[in-house]
Amino acid sequence: MGIQMKSISVPRRAAALLASLMLVPFLTNYVYGLRGRPQLDFATFYFGASVAVRDRLIPYDYPVLASAAEPVIGARPYAYLYPPTSLLFFAPLTVLPYIWSMRAMLVLNAALAAGIVALVWMGLGEARYKPLGLALLVYAGLYHPLAANMVNGQVNLAIVLMVWLAGMWLSRDQRPMGVALLLAMAVGIKLYPAVLLLYLLIKRRFRILALSLTILIALCIVSALLLPASIWPVWLSEVLTTAGYGVSTEGYLPPADWENQSLHGFCSRLWADSPRAGLGVAYVFSLLLVGGWGWVCFRPGPEVDQSEHIMLE
C-alpha cells in the first residue's frame, strides 16, 4: 500500500511577502550602482557608440575608445567587441550625458531583472506557491550574476527577454514578423543568439528564418551607410576572427576572471595553469552542447492526439 504525501502549499499572502522581500537584494545593488561605481560594460557601449557616431572613428581601436571614456569615468573600459550593427542600438544612449544615461540603463535593467523573475515565477502557475517555486524565487533574488548584469550596465537581460518572447510566439505559431524582428535584433546586438537561427533551419521554419535574415541584412546595410566606412572590414578582420577567445589583450577581460560566467570562463578557471587546455576543453564542450541541442531539435517529437492538444490548450 503506497503512502500518499500531501502537497505543501504556502499561503498566497506569505508568498507575496516573500516576493516583496526578494526585492531587497535588487534595491541594495541598485543603490550601490548609483554611488558612482564605474559601469565598465555600459561605458564600453556608450563610448563605443559615441566614438563611431559622433566622432566618426573606429571603436574597435582600443586607444581611441579608452581616450574617450577615461576622462569621464576615471577608468579604462573594456574593448568593444560587438558587431557594428549593435552601435545602431547603442547610439540613442548618447543623447543623454553619460551619468544620466548610465542611471537610465540601471533603471531599465532593474525593471528587466524584476520582470524576468516575475515572468518565470508566474509561469509556474499554482506550483509557484509550492516550496520549489518559492525556492526558485529566493535563488533568483540572491543570484549574484543577475545583480552584476544589472549594476554593470550589461545588455544580457534585454537579450534574454527578446529571446524569451520570440520563443513564446514561435511555440504558439504567433507573430512571425515579431519573432523575426526580435531574433534579428538579438543577433545584431550580441551575435551569439545567431545559433537560434540554426533551430529555425532544423525545424523548417523557413519563412521566419528568411524574415530574420532579411532584417539582419537590412541592419548591416544601414550600419555600413551610417557608420565609418572601414568599420565592417576592421571588425571582420581584427575582431571576429581574432576576438581573443582565450587571449587576454589590452581591454579584454581575462577569460579566467570570476566575472566571466561563461563555459569558457569555467574551463579557464579549472585549467588556469594551462590556458590552451582550458581553451580546447571549452571548444569541445561547446561543440558537444550545440551538436546535442541540434540533435534533440532534429528528432521528430511524439505525435499528440488532436483531442488531447485541444484539452491542453
Short mmCIF file of all heavy atoms in Angstrom, two decimals, residues 261-305:
data_model
loop_
_atom_site.label_atom_id
_atom_site.label_comp_id
_atom_site.label_asym_id
_atom_site.label_seq_id
_atom_site.Cartn_x
_atom_site.Cartn_y
_atom_site.Cartn_z
N GLN A 261 31.25 34.40 -16.47
CA GLN A 261 30.44 33.27 -16.03
C GLN A 261 30.09 32.32 -17.17
O GLN A 261 29.18 31.50 -17.04
CB GLN A 261 29.16 33.79 -15.37
CG GLN A 261 29.39 34.58 -14.10
CD GLN A 261 29.95 33.74 -12.97
OE1 GLN A 261 29.49 32.64 -12.73
NE2 GLN A 261 30.96 34.25 -12.28
N SER A 262 30.79 32.41 -18.26
CA SER A 262 30.51 31.54 -19.41
C SER A 262 31.18 30.19 -19.23
O SER A 262 31.96 29.96 -18.30
CB SER A 262 31.03 32.20 -20.69
OG SER A 262 32.45 32.28 -20.65
N LEU A 263 30.87 29.28 -20.15
CA LEU A 263 31.51 27.96 -20.15
C LEU A 263 33.02 28.10 -20.34
O LEU A 263 33.80 27.38 -19.72
CB LEU A 263 30.90 27.11 -21.26
CG LEU A 263 31.45 25.69 -21.41
CD1 LEU A 263 31.19 24.88 -20.15
CD2 LEU A 263 30.80 25.00 -22.61
N HIS A 264 33.41 29.04 -21.17
CA HIS A 264 34.84 29.29 -21.39
C HIS A 264 35.50 29.75 -20.10
O HIS A 264 36.60 29.31 -19.75
CB HIS A 264 35.03 30.33 -22.49
CG HIS A 264 36.46 30.68 -22.74
ND1 HIS A 264 36.86 31.95 -23.07
CD2 HIS A 264 37.59 29.93 -22.69
CE1 HIS A 264 38.17 31.96 -23.23
NE2 HIS A 264 38.64 30.76 -23.01
N GLY A 265 34.84 30.66 -19.37
CA GLY A 265 35.39 31.12 -18.10
C GLY A 265 35.53 29.98 -17.11
O GLY A 265 36.53 29.89 -16.38
N PHE A 266 34.54 29.10 -17.05
CA PHE A 266 34.57 27.96 -16.14
C PHE A 266 35.76 27.06 -16.45
O PHE A 266 36.52 26.66 -15.55
CB PHE A 266 33.26 27.19 -16.25
CG PHE A 266 33.22 25.91 -15.47
CD1 PHE A 266 33.09 25.93 -14.09
CD2 PHE A 266 33.32 24.68 -16.11
CE1 PHE A 266 33.06 24.74 -13.36
CE2 PHE A 266 33.29 23.50 -15.40
CZ PHE A 266 33.16 23.52 -14.02
N CYS A 267 35.95 26.74 -17.74
CA CYS A 267 37.06 25.88 -18.14
C CYS A 267 38.40 26.57 -17.91
O CYS A 267 39.39 25.91 -17.52
CB CYS A 267 36.93 25.48 -19.60
SG CYS A 267 35.50 24.43 -19.96
N SER A 268 38.46 27.87 -18.12
CA SER A 268 39.72 28.60 -17.93
C SER A 268 40.13 28.60 -16.47
O SER A 268 41.32 28.55 -16.15
CB SER A 268 39.57 30.04 -18.43
OG SER A 268 39.34 30.07 -19.82
N ARG A 269 39.16 28.65 -15.56
CA ARG A 269 39.49 28.62 -14.14
C ARG A 269 39.92 27.22 -13.70
O ARG A 269 40.78 27.07 -12.84
CB ARG A 269 38.30 29.11 -13.31
CG ARG A 269 38.10 30.62 -13.38
CD ARG A 269 37.01 31.10 -12.46
NE ARG A 269 35.68 30.75 -12.93
CZ ARG A 269 34.98 31.49 -13.79
NH1 ARG A 269 35.49 32.61 -14.26
NH2 ARG A 269 33.76 31.11 -14.17
N LEU A 270 39.31 26.18 -14.30
CA LEU A 270 39.70 24.82 -13.96
C LEU A 270 41.11 24.50 -14.44
O LEU A 270 41.86 23.79 -13.78
CB LEU A 270 38.72 23.82 -14.56
CG LEU A 270 37.36 23.67 -13.88
CD1 LEU A 270 36.53 22.61 -14.59
CD2 LEU A 270 37.53 23.29 -12.40
N TRP A 271 41.45 25.03 -15.63
CA TRP A 271 42.78 24.79 -16.21
C TRP A 271 43.56 26.11 -16.23
O TRP A 271 44.11 26.50 -17.25
CB TRP A 271 42.65 24.23 -17.62
CG TRP A 271 42.30 22.78 -17.65
CD1 TRP A 271 43.17 21.73 -17.61
CD2 TRP A 271 41.00 22.20 -17.71
NE1 TRP A 271 42.48 20.54 -17.65
CE2 TRP A 271 41.14 20.81 -17.71
CE3 TRP A 271 39.70 22.74 -17.76
CZ2 TRP A 271 40.06 19.94 -17.76
CZ3 TRP A 271 38.62 21.88 -17.81
CH2 TRP A 271 38.80 20.50 -17.81
N ALA A 272 43.62 26.77 -15.09
CA ALA A 272 44.27 28.08 -15.00
C ALA A 272 45.75 28.01 -15.34
O ALA A 272 46.33 28.97 -15.86
CB ALA A 272 44.08 28.67 -13.60
N ASP A 273 46.39 26.87 -15.06
CA ASP A 273 47.82 26.74 -15.33
C ASP A 273 48.10 26.37 -16.78
O ASP A 273 49.26 26.36 -17.20
CB ASP A 273 48.43 25.66 -14.42
CG ASP A 273 48.38 26.06 -12.95
OD1 ASP A 273 48.39 27.28 -12.68
OD2 ASP A 273 48.30 25.17 -12.09
N SER A 274 47.07 26.04 -17.52
CA SER A 274 47.25 25.67 -18.92
C SER A 274 46.13 26.29 -19.75
O SER A 274 45.11 25.63 -20.05
CB SER A 274 47.24 24.14 -19.07
OG SER A 274 47.42 23.77 -20.42
N PRO A 275 46.27 27.56 -20.11
CA PRO A 275 45.20 28.24 -20.86
C PRO A 275 44.80 27.53 -22.15
O PRO A 275 43.63 27.51 -22.51
CB PRO A 275 45.82 29.61 -21.15
CG PRO A 275 46.85 29.81 -20.11
CD PRO A 275 47.42 28.45 -19.84
N ARG A 276 45.78 26.92 -22.83
CA ARG A 276 45.45 26.23 -24.08
C ARG A 276 44.55 25.03 -23.83
O ARG A 276 43.64 24.74 -24.61
CB ARG A 276 46.74 25.79 -24.79
CG ARG A 276 47.54 26.95 -25.39
CD ARG A 276 48.73 26.45 -26.18
NE ARG A 276 49.46 27.54 -26.80
CZ ARG A 276 49.16 28.09 -27.96
NH1 ARG A 276 48.12 27.63 -28.65
NH2 ARG A 276 49.88 29.08 -28.45
N ALA A 277 44.81 24.32 -22.71
CA ALA A 277 43.96 23.18 -22.38
C ALA A 277 42.55 23.65 -22.06
O ALA A 277 41.56 23.04 -22.49
CB ALA A 277 44.55 22.42 -21.19
N GLY A 278 42.44 24.74 -21.29
CA GLY A 278 41.12 25.28 -20.98
C GLY A 278 40.38 25.71 -22.23
O GLY A 278 39.17 25.47 -22.37
N LEU A 279 41.11 26.32 -23.17
CA LEU A 279 40.51 26.74 -24.43
C LEU A 279 40.01 25.54 -25.22
O LEU A 279 38.89 25.53 -25.73
CB LEU A 279 41.54 27.53 -25.25
CG LEU A 279 41.13 27.91 -26.67
CD1 LEU A 279 39.95 28.86 -26.65
CD2 LEU A 279 42.32 28.55 -27.39
N GLY A 280 40.84 24.49 -25.30
CA GLY A 280 40.46 23.30 -26.05
C GLY A 280 39.24 22.61 -25.45
O GLY A 280 38.32 22.21 -26.17
N VAL A 281 39.22 22.47 -24.12
CA VAL A 281 38.09 21.82 -23.46
C VAL A 281 36.82 22.64 -23.66
O VAL A 281 35.73 22.09 -23.87
CB VAL A 281 38.39 21.63 -21.95
CG1 VAL A 281 37.15 21.13 -21.22
CG2 VAL A 281 39.53 20.65 -21.76
N ALA A 282 36.94 23.98 -23.59
CA ALA A 282 35.78 24.84 -23.79
C ALA A 282 35.21 24.66 -25.19
O ALA A 282 33.98 24.60 -25.37
CB ALA A 282 36.16 26.30 -23.55
N TYR A 283 36.09 24.55 -26.19
CA TYR A 283 35.62 24.34 -27.56
C TYR A 283 34.91 22.99 -27.68
O TYR A 283 33.85 22.88 -28.32
CB TYR A 283 36.80 24.40 -28.54
CG TYR A 283 37.07 25.77 -29.11
CD1 TYR A 283 38.31 26.37 -28.96
CD2 TYR A 283 36.08 26.45 -29.81
CE1 TYR A 283 38.56 27.64 -29.48
CE2 TYR A 283 36.32 27.70 -30.35
CZ TYR A 283 37.57 28.29 -30.17
OH TYR A 283 37.80 29.53 -30.70
N VAL A 284 35.51 21.95 -27.09
CA VAL A 284 34.90 20.62 -27.16
C VAL A 284 33.53 20.61 -26.51
O VAL A 284 32.55 20.11 -27.06
CB VAL A 284 35.83 19.57 -26.50
CG1 VAL A 284 35.11 18.23 -26.38
CG2 VAL A 284 37.11 19.40 -27.31
N PHE A 285 33.44 21.19 -25.29
CA PHE A 285 32.15 21.25 -24.60
C PHE A 285 31.12 22.04 -25.41
O PHE A 285 29.96 21.65 -25.49
CB PHE A 285 32.33 21.90 -23.23
CG PHE A 285 32.86 20.97 -22.17
CD1 PHE A 285 33.23 21.44 -20.93
CD2 PHE A 285 32.98 19.62 -22.42
CE1 PHE A 285 33.71 20.59 -19.95
CE2 PHE A 285 33.47 18.75 -21.46
CZ PHE A 285 33.84 19.23 -20.22
N SER A 286 31.56 23.15 -26.00
CA SER A 286 30.63 23.98 -26.78
C SER A 286 30.11 23.22 -27.99
O SER A 286 28.91 23.26 -28.29
CB SER A 286 31.33 25.27 -27.22
OG SER A 286 31.74 26.04 -26.11
N LEU A 287 31.01 22.53 -28.69
CA LEU A 287 30.59 21.76 -29.86
C LEU A 287 29.65 20.63 -29.46
O LEU A 287 28.66 20.33 -30.17
CB LEU A 287 31.81 21.19 -30.58
CG LEU A 287 32.70 22.22 -31.30
CD1 LEU A 287 33.96 21.56 -31.83
CD2 LEU A 287 31.93 22.88 -32.43
N LEU A 288 29.93 19.98 -28.33
CA LEU A 288 29.04 18.91 -27.86
C LEU A 288 27.66 19.45 -27.51
O LEU A 288 26.64 18.84 -27.82
CB LEU A 288 29.66 18.22 -26.64
CG LEU A 288 30.87 17.32 -26.91
CD1 LEU A 288 31.46 16.81 -25.59
CD2 LEU A 288 30.47 16.14 -27.79
N LEU A 289 27.65 20.62 -26.85
CA LEU A 289 26.36 21.21 -26.47
C LEU A 289 25.55 21.61 -27.70
O LEU A 289 24.35 21.31 -27.80
CB LEU A 289 26.60 22.44 -25.58
CG LEU A 289 26.99 22.17 -24.13
CD1 LEU A 289 27.36 23.47 -23.43
CD2 LEU A 289 25.86 21.48 -23.39
N VAL A 290 26.20 22.28 -28.66
CA VAL A 290 25.49 22.69 -29.86
C VAL A 290 25.06 21.47 -30.67
O VAL A 290 23.92 21.42 -31.18
CB VAL A 290 26.37 23.63 -30.72
CG1 VAL A 290 25.70 23.92 -32.05
CG2 VAL A 290 26.65 24.93 -29.97
N GLY A 291 25.95 20.48 -30.78
CA GLY A 291 25.60 19.27 -31.52
C GLY A 291 24.46 18.51 -30.86
O GLY A 291 23.52 18.06 -31.54
N GLY A 292 24.52 18.37 -29.53
CA GLY A 292 23.44 17.69 -28.81
C GLY A 292 22.13 18.43 -28.92
O GLY A 292 21.07 17.83 -29.11
N TRP A 293 22.20 19.75 -28.82
CA TRP A 293 21.00 20.58 -28.94
C TRP A 293 20.40 20.44 -30.34
O TRP A 293 19.19 20.30 -30.51
CB TRP A 293 21.36 22.03 -28.64
CG TRP A 293 20.27 23.01 -28.93
CD1 TRP A 293 19.13 23.22 -28.21
CD2 TRP A 293 20.23 23.95 -30.02
NE1 TRP A 293 18.38 24.22 -28.78
CE2 TRP A 293 19.03 24.68 -29.88
CE3 TRP A 293 21.09 24.23 -31.07
CZ2 TRP A 293 18.68 25.68 -30.79
CZ3 TRP A 293 20.73 25.22 -31.96
CH2 TRP A 293 19.54 25.94 -31.81
N GLY A 294 21.28 20.45 -31.37
CA GLY A 294 20.79 20.29 -32.73
C GLY A 294 20.16 18.93 -32.95
O GLY A 294 19.13 18.80 -33.63
N TRP A 295 20.75 17.88 -32.35
CA TRP A 295 20.20 16.53 -32.49
C TRP A 295 18.83 16.43 -31.85
O TRP A 295 17.89 15.84 -32.41
CB TRP A 295 21.16 15.53 -31.87
CG TRP A 295 20.65 14.10 -31.91
CD1 TRP A 295 20.57 13.29 -33.00
CD2 TRP A 295 20.13 13.36 -30.81
NE1 TRP A 295 20.04 12.06 -32.65
CE2 TRP A 295 19.77 12.08 -31.31
CE3 TRP A 295 19.97 13.62 -29.46
CZ2 TRP A 295 19.23 11.09 -30.50
CZ3 TRP A 295 19.43 12.64 -28.64
CH2 TRP A 295 19.06 11.40 -29.15
N VAL A 296 18.69 17.02 -30.66
CA VAL A 296 17.40 16.99 -29.97
C VAL A 296 16.35 17.75 -30.78
O VAL A 296 15.20 17.32 -30.90
CB VAL A 296 17.53 17.59 -28.56
CG1 VAL A 296 16.15 17.81 -27.94
CG2 VAL A 296 18.38 16.69 -27.67
N CYS A 297 16.75 18.89 -31.35
CA CYS A 297 15.81 19.66 -32.16
C CYS A 297 15.40 18.93 -33.43
O CYS A 297 14.27 19.04 -33.90
CB CYS A 297 16.41 21.02 -32.53
SG CYS A 297 16.67 22.13 -31.13
N PHE A 298 16.34 18.17 -33.99
CA PHE A 298 16.10 17.49 -35.26
C PHE A 298 15.19 16.27 -35.10
O PHE A 298 14.49 15.89 -36.03
CB PHE A 298 17.43 17.06 -35.89
CG PHE A 298 17.30 16.56 -37.30
CD1 PHE A 298 17.09 17.45 -38.34
CD2 PHE A 298 17.39 15.21 -37.59
CE1 PHE A 298 16.97 17.00 -39.64
CE2 PHE A 298 17.28 14.76 -38.89
CZ PHE A 298 17.07 15.66 -39.92
N ARG A 299 15.20 15.68 -33.90
CA ARG A 299 14.38 14.49 -33.66
C ARG A 299 12.91 14.86 -33.77
O ARG A 299 12.47 15.86 -33.21
CB ARG A 299 14.65 13.91 -32.27
CG ARG A 299 16.01 13.29 -32.10
CD ARG A 299 16.18 12.79 -30.68
NE ARG A 299 15.17 11.79 -30.34
CZ ARG A 299 14.94 11.38 -29.09
NH1 ARG A 299 15.59 11.93 -28.09
NH2 ARG A 299 14.03 10.45 -28.86
N PRO A 300 12.13 14.03 -34.44
CA PRO A 300 10.68 14.32 -34.50
C PRO A 300 10.05 14.13 -33.14
O PRO A 300 10.37 13.19 -32.40
CB PRO A 300 10.17 13.29 -35.53
CG PRO A 300 11.16 12.17 -35.47
CD PRO A 300 12.49 12.82 -35.18
N GLY A 301 9.18 15.05 -32.76
CA GLY A 301 8.50 14.94 -31.48
C GLY A 301 7.41 13.90 -31.52
O GLY A 301 6.97 13.45 -32.59
N PRO A 302 6.95 13.44 -30.35
CA PRO A 302 5.88 12.45 -30.30
C PRO A 302 4.57 13.02 -30.84
O PRO A 302 4.27 14.19 -30.65
CB PRO A 302 5.77 12.13 -28.80
CG PRO A 302 6.30 13.35 -28.12
CD PRO A 302 7.37 13.87 -29.02
N GLU A 303 3.84 12.16 -31.55
CA GLU A 303 2.56 12.60 -32.08
C GLU A 303 1.55 12.74 -30.95
O GLU A 303 1.43 11.87 -30.09
CB GLU A 303 2.05 11.60 -33.12
CG GLU A 303 2.93 11.54 -34.37
CD GLU A 303 2.31 10.65 -35.43
OE1 GLU A 303 1.20 10.12 -35.18
OE2 GLU A 303 2.94 10.47 -36.48
N VAL A 304 0.82 13.83 -30.95
CA VAL A 304 -0.16 14.11 -29.92
C VAL A 304 -1.54 14.06 -30.54
O VAL A 304 -1.78 14.67 -31.60
CB VAL A 304 0.07 15.51 -29.28
CG1 VAL A 304 -0.97 15.79 -28.21
CG2 VAL A 304 1.47 15.58 -28.70
N ASP A 305 -2.43 13.30 -29.90
CA ASP A 305 -3.80 13.24 -30.38
C ASP A 305 -4.42 14.63 -30.37
O ASP A 305 -4.23 15.41 -29.45
CB ASP A 305 -4.61 12.29 -29.49
CG ASP A 305 -6.03 12.13 -30.01
OD1 ASP A 305 -6.21 11.43 -31.01
OD2 ASP A 305 -6.95 12.73 -29.41
#
